[in-house]
Amino acid sequence: MGDLVLSVQPALSIESEFSAHLHALATQKLQGVVAKDGPEVQSLRHNVDPLLSAFQPLRSGKLVSVTTSSSILLSSVPHLYKLAQYPIVLHVSLHPTDYPDYSEITSIRQSGFTFLQSETLQEAQDISLSAHALAVKSGKGVIHFFDITNSANDNAIRIEDRELVRSVLDLDATRASPLSGSGSSTLYIDDGRRADITETNLPTVNANQGQHGALNTSTEQSTAKTGSRDASSVGSSMRESSADSRPSMSSMTSIDSTTTRFVSSEDILYYVTGIWSQIQSVTGRAYQPFEYSGPANAESALFIFGSTGLFVDEIEASGSSVEFASVGIITARLYRPWLGTKLTESIPSTIKRIAVLEQIRRKTTKWGPILLDLLSTLRTGSSTAGAPLIVGHQLGYIEPATARQALRGIFQNLNSPSPVQNLEVGIAGGRKQALEEFHPEQPKVENAYMKILDQVFGQTLHVANRQDATDVGISATIAANPEFGFGSLLARMDHRKRFAGEVQEAAKGQDFVTDVPQRWLSTWALNAEDTRKANSIAQEVIARLVTDGSNLASQLLSSKGLFFKESQWLIGSDAWAYDLGNSGVHHVIASGANVNMLIIDSQPYSQRAAADAARRKKDIGLYAMNFGNAYVASVAVYSSYTQVLEAMIEADAFDGPSVVVAYLPYSREDDSALTVLQETKKAVDLGYWPLYRWNPGTDEEAEPTFQLDSERIKQELEEFLRRDNHLSQLMRRYPEFSANLSGSYGSEVRALQKRKAKDAYNAMLERLYGAPMTVLFASDNGNAESLAKRLGNRGKARGLKTLVMAMDDYPLEDLAGEENVVLITSTAGQGEFPQNGLVFWNAIKDTADLDLSPIRFSVFALGDSHYWPRKEDKIYYNKPGKDLDARVAFLGGKRLTDVGLGDDQDPDGYQTGYGEWEPKLWQALGVDKVEGLPEEPPPITNEDIKIQSNYLRGTIAEGLEDTTTGAIAAADQQLTKFHGTYMQDDRDLRDERKAQGLEPAYSFMIRCRLPGGVASPSQWMQMDAISSSCGNETMKLTTRQTFQFHGVVKGKLRPAMRAINKALMTTIAACGDVNRNVMCSSLPEKSAYHRDVHLVSAKISEHLLPSTTAYHEIWLKDEDDKKTQIAGDAIVDHEPLYGPTYLPRKFKITIAIPPHNDTDVYAHDIGLIAIKGADGRLEGFNVLAGGGMGVTHNNKKTYPRTGSMLGYASADKIHHVCEKVMFVQRDHGDRKNRKHARLKYTMDDMGVDVFRGKVEELLGYKFKEPRQFEFKSNIDRFGWQKDETGQNHFTFFIENGRIEDTAEFPMRTGLREIAKVHKGEFRLTGNQHLILSNVHGDDLENIKKMMKQYKLDNVQFSGLRLSSSACVAFPTCGLAMAESERYLPELITKLEGCLEENGLKQDSIVMRMTGCPNGCARPWLAEVAFVGKAFGAYNMYLGGGYHGQRLNKLYRSSIQEDEILDIMKPLLKRYARERKEGERFGDFTIRIGMIKRTTEGKTFHEDVAEEESGDEA
């Protein structure tokens, strides 16, 4: 009931007594009694000041209820006094559940709330309804409290009758007079709101009566008190007041007058009895403020304020036994206001003795609060004669088996001549397990920061309020707060200070056996406060004391831990950012003590807009900086691991308080790392969570005290400061412009801009002839906008007066005056409108007054019919266009054509549908037969871009100098690929930045050229440094056996390229329509043989390099470089191998060394299979050609292909062979259709024999017959291996090739440290792993020690994981349709349990995943592969060859995780049970008939297990 339910939970991943049911109801979206679509349910953690979230909706007139345990009540007292004056309902379950503590209710009894209690399940339902009705009628807060154990065994009840609920709530009256909020929004100053009642037509004193003045005074006082609160009256004019509170005087006459007064206890009684009467009339269930059950002539009674169920059951079970026959039970249904007269009325006059049973665990007074309430009612006044004797009892935990015994004890005490007051009954304080409250547990995701602290400080780390610590007599909740932790740290520091004094005294004495300990103790004492020195000396001191063995030495050793200077920390959550938790933070900072605080903020960026603005969450970082004496850092582990390390080290080194505020956003404590990463990136990128460090201690060192570490914000801040400085000067010079400048983006100015733009265009159109056509677009990625502009140009050519505008830039009020309107929209998100059409659509959707009957219109929509794979989600396909078409027609518009639908799945994408729709539009407009239309220029192709680029220059250099955007021109984006870099944008941030009106978060990927994947330790360290200084602090080892950097912003492209060049490496031709990085098997066990083959790979790579000097000019040339730039009439470059248009498409070469096909030799344009001679050295190569992986979904004209054998060639001639194969492709490849431009299609079009002949013609000789070879696997061999020379090699498992530091695994740091001492090589593998190569025996133990230190020695993973591979995909790849690198590890984890159960944990099964069908991770050769089709959906392929020799085939289309698991788990179980000896998984799936064998690329789409929906022939 109500508009909003605040569900308070111990943790978001831990359900409360209410939350699971509430969320289930919210999910079902059942119609509510008050809110049409059911109430909104908002989950809140119990320690984040949850009641703060009630103020804003209450003030906006919403009906709010809260479900919570009693644990939050005491800490929320400051809010309760104010909330009591609003119609809010708190449903409170008393905790702990085994033995509830009613003291949390009695402690807040004076807060102004009305308190109602229920005991059974039926009562809980009725009293809940009563509470909501009472809150609405009285305008005051109501707390409904109960002990769930009382109703644990109750039978199910019927849901309350809906009509009864409506009647009791009096919804019509409520909605007729909506709840109004207070004019003030402050939480910390009394806004003066009080629940009050306005009474009309009251009798007033006649003007002639002498009492006029007195009454008038009273009225004025009332007005004075309440006049300022008229706006906050909660529907009071519609409420009836209590009849017995009205004056009745014969001398008064009734005239029209009103008076306002506060709601009184009599009013509450009036309302609640009325509510209960309504319930009784329908259900027969009666309720009273105080309820008595028992004999009418009872002499003894129990007044129970606690869990009554046990005693009630026992008394009822005794039946007519004499023992309890004359015993009554009294309970308080309406606890506050306490109505003494109603209590007196409810109990029989025969009662002589009352035993008060209070379940109060936290006693603050000698006498219990209920005892005092009864004494004030029954034992005070003018006469106490005949009043019953009242004896208080403290009710402890009662075992059910001892309930009768406890009752006997109570009545024995009650009936004794001198009863004992405050007698304890049962187990005082409750049984042990009942006392175990909810212990706050650190959410799993927050372990990241704890692990970093452990990594940095190791054994010297001390967390004072660690949640797994035990403090005798201290509750977990108290132990976790900052005040407790700070106090314990002060005590700890004082203890060490005393110890240091003891050490100084010991150093001066003569009580040691030798004088050696004295010298060491003196040295330690001098450096006791220097962390580094004290900790380095400590072990030596301890060793000397152990050796000495004297009594004094033993005494000091008993506290040997104090020799180490600890890194002392307090760890808190964002609960410390609210006022009720912030006092402890204030104490720490204000003290100036050398204490470190790590405060973790978990509010997701995506929820910040929904956050209550009135919650007043403090910016602790800014708060701490204002003190001036504290080190402050703002960090985010999922944004910059390095910055977190720097901040923690600096905080610990700072002599004074340090505050590190750390971002770790999650909606639930068990959120995935991917979810946390995406939220973090949004928050950091858009400035919600800036990364910075403030160190006031650096003043003397002349270093900046404030360091902004958010790279993108830093750039935008510099631009803002320049712009802000200019505007400030302008406004000071021209004050009259100030308001216009500051409000330039206000709604009025924007409307004026729209109007001027359209009027100016209309004026121009008036000079033209022809009918008007207004084209409005909403574009998500530019396609709809381009289409609209092209349509506008075509309309002009046909004589139409065309206007083209974005929907949100168009003044909507003019729409009805148009003649012909064309609406073009793409599809965003889950069937949503693009950002620049959202305002337009919302206005169209919500209006009922817009008459569009004068206009004719047509809609064209762009979408992807397979973006949502589930059938129930098909409605999202082109939903914005369909909705717009229906809405405009509903408003009276007449269709020119049916809605046109462009589908990305069609052979030509959306152009297929557009080509059918546009002619119909011209026909409807009568301009379809216009003659003499000018020819449209053909679209610019990649071939045009290349030939016009002046050998790959284009306007790249000019684009790099343009600081107004993070992007470069579209043509340059194609050219930079030849230079080894792709422009990308962060797709995790794309939608949010668009919503903020910002351009995408553009950055660049840089790929190095590294023939054979071999790098020196020096090169490794330089690559690592580049990833920090220019990239996103990670490196990617790619499936092309090289380094790749991501997140390089445009301003850092040149520095990165120069740093790569300084490392004696390059990026030229790492991408683009040229020969790319040449791959080579790593083969660590055959060192000399590998060296021969690697030299060939380097020779081929060098031989096929482009010759253009553009790379040097753009990236490496500086002002001192005297080389001539190629421009104008200067000397023109020459490309002897490639020519000015280079190759039709990319060209890839790889070398495999049998028996290992670890480079997927069949998957490349040229695959070279090394052949060993009789001497064990390289002799030559078998040559494969025509392999390739790229495919387009649903287009059967595209397919993957394995290479065809051309023959054998000797090693000394192989670079010429590669050249001639490339020449045939250069001259015969398809340059018109890039989807048909790879060598694989050239070979199939020509035929293998013809192609071979062309190559041999260029060579001048024929290929020899291929030599024998055998492949046994295409995966890497992990762990240590020794080669024939005695050198050692270790293959690291680098999951999906990502080199990064995480809290769990400091991989990047470890490899960097190893590179500093390693004397051999680093070899990158084609499976994205890494080999530490050529480790000399003398260095082996040290290397192993370092590997263990950084957890790099672990290769004990499942065979499936070790054999897996994934491409980058989201967030940087613009082609990705689904996750890959970030998801495959999670999927494997969910399969590993099944592998373990079926004995397959160590079995190698090649599984690969890509985010799109372009095949970067070579999925088509895997035994099982998943290729992204849409977000969260994949095509599944089976039957690839384990050696990489056979293509797989489609098994299922567009399946999601649950379907993947449902297929894979039974299949793995069957494989374990039915496979033959040595049979591989891919072969098994073919043998059992699950999938057909793919014999060649052209049959890839034939005989599939399931046709891909929407296939095109």
Side-chain angles (χ1 to χ4, degrees), residues 378-412:
L378 302 176
R379 303 287 295 179
T380 59
S382 57
S383 174
T384 59
L389 172 68
I390 301 174
V391 180
H393 297 74
Q394 295 300 319
L395 188 59
Y397 176 74
I398 307 291
E399 289 282 357
T402 63
R404 180 174 291 271
Q405 181 181 345
L407 279 172
R408 288 171 181 161
I410 291 169
F411 286 109
Q412 184 178 350

Side-chain angles (χ1 to χ4, degrees), residues 886-937:
R887 187 62 185 172
V888 175
F890 175 79
L891 294 172
K894 302 175 184 65
R895 289 188 179 91
L896 288 163
T897 70
D898 290 336
V899 59
L901 302 178
D903 189 352
D904 285 350
Q905 298 299 325
D906 286 336
D908 295 322
Y910 63 83
Q911 294 286 0
T912 302
Y914 182 79
E916 299 171 357
W917 171 82
E918 186 184 308
K920 297 177 182 176
L921 176 65
W922 300 140
Q923 185 178 12
L925 292 171
V927 291
D928 54 318
K929 297 179 181 178
V930 177
E931 297 181 357
L933 290 174
E935 288 189 11
E936 290 184 357

Side-chain angles (χ1 to χ4, degrees), residues 1 83 91 220 238 446 485 519 555 562 605 1054 1388:
M1 287 177 282
L83 287 173
H91 299 285
E220 287 176 357
M238 299 300 298
E446 287 188 19
R519 294 197 303 271
Q555 180 182 334
L562 296 175
Y605 172 78
R1054 271 203 184 104
I1388 291 175

Side-chain angles (χ1 to χ4, degrees), residues 825-828 831-834 841 859 861-862 876-885:
T825 177
S826 58
T827 306
E832 298 159 8
F833 256 82
W841 166 243
V859 176
L862 295 83
Y876 300 126
Y877 167 57
N878 271 326
K879 187 174 186 296
K882 294 175 182 176
D883 288 350
L884 190 57
D885 176 76

